[in-house]
Amino acid sequence: MQSNWWQELERELEQQFDSFLKDHPAQQELLEQEEQRAKQQRRLARLSEVETKAQDLRDQLLNLSEEIRGWRARVERAQRAGAHDLADRAQAHLSSLMGQGREQWQSLAALGEESRLLHEEISRAEQQSAKPPKTAQEDLEQAWQRFEAEQELERLRREQR
């Protein structure tokens, strides 16, 4: 019961807000601009996160590549010395390290793709925000058209009575 009351109140408030925005297009435009700014800020924040993660992954890959080189040398040294059991264990560890490297490369590639898409979205949003906003004249024209339409509706209602 209380949930239904709350939903009714919420629906009524939404209708009043929508009506207000319809009657005040400049406020609607300001709201839309603020929403676009907030989206752009979220995109920029996510881009920063992606770039930080990508740099961390690059650093990890550099460290891993050094470790792989070291273990390759160990495998070769053990093989030359005839320590095949040790060489096999070192090779298994080397294979594990290389698997980690492949996973990190895939993660880095995914971050690169996300970064590319974010750059495109940011660029597109910047281009759209560079478009000139509606002029006061355009806003006045729309208000006048609404006024005339309301007047015509009122005239038709009176004629039907």
Side-chain angles (χ1 to χ4, degrees), residues 7-19:
Q7 290 172 344
E8 271 301 310
L9 177 62
E10 189 174 311
R11 194 172 17 259
E12 179 64 28
L13 289 173
E14 283 179 18
Q15 288 173 350
Q16 287 179 9
F17 185 64
D18 290 344
S19 176

Side-chain angles (χ1 to χ4, degrees), residues 46 49-65 99-114:
R46 179 60 187 155
E49 288 175 22
V50 165
E51 289 174 350
T52 299
K53 284 181 182 180
Q55 186 57 50
D56 289 346
L57 266 175
R58 285 185 207 100
D59 293 343
Q60 290 174 18
L61 277 165
L62 286 173
N63 292 335
L64 188 60
S65 70
Q100 288 176 21
R102 279 188 294 278
E103 287 175 13
Q104 288 178 348
W105 272 112
Q106 289 171 348
S107 296
L108 188 59
L111 287 173
E113 179 62 17
E114 185 176 358

Side-chain angles (χ1 to χ4, degrees), residues 68-128:
I68 288 171
R69 275 190 218 116
W71 279 100
R72 270 198 182 124
R74 289 178 178 182
V75 167
E76 290 172 7
R77 201 164 104 205
Q79 286 174 340
R80 281 192 307 267
H84 298 293
D85 183 47
L86 186 57
D88 290 343
R89 289 176 37 211
Q91 182 62 48
H93 183 66
L94 178 62
S95 294
S96 172
L97 292 174
M98 293 180 78
Q100 288 176 21
R102 279 188 294 278
E103 287 175 13
Q104 288 178 348
W105 272 112
Q106 289 171 348
S107 296
L108 188 59
L111 287 173
E113 179 62 17
E114 185 176 358
S115 174
R116 184 188 66 75
L117 291 173
L118 284 166
H119 277 287
E120 286 177 5
E121 289 175 10
I122 289 168
S123 176
R124 207 172 19 254
E126 286 173 349
Q127 289 171 355
Q128 286 178 347

Side-chain angles (χ1 to χ4, degrees), residues 25 136-151:
Q137 180 66 31
E138 289 171 326
D139 191 35
L140 178 60
E141 285 293 330
Q142 287 178 349
W144 187 257
Q145 287 173 359
R146 272 194 316 278
F147 171 76
E148 287 180 330
E150 289 170 7
Q151 292 292 308

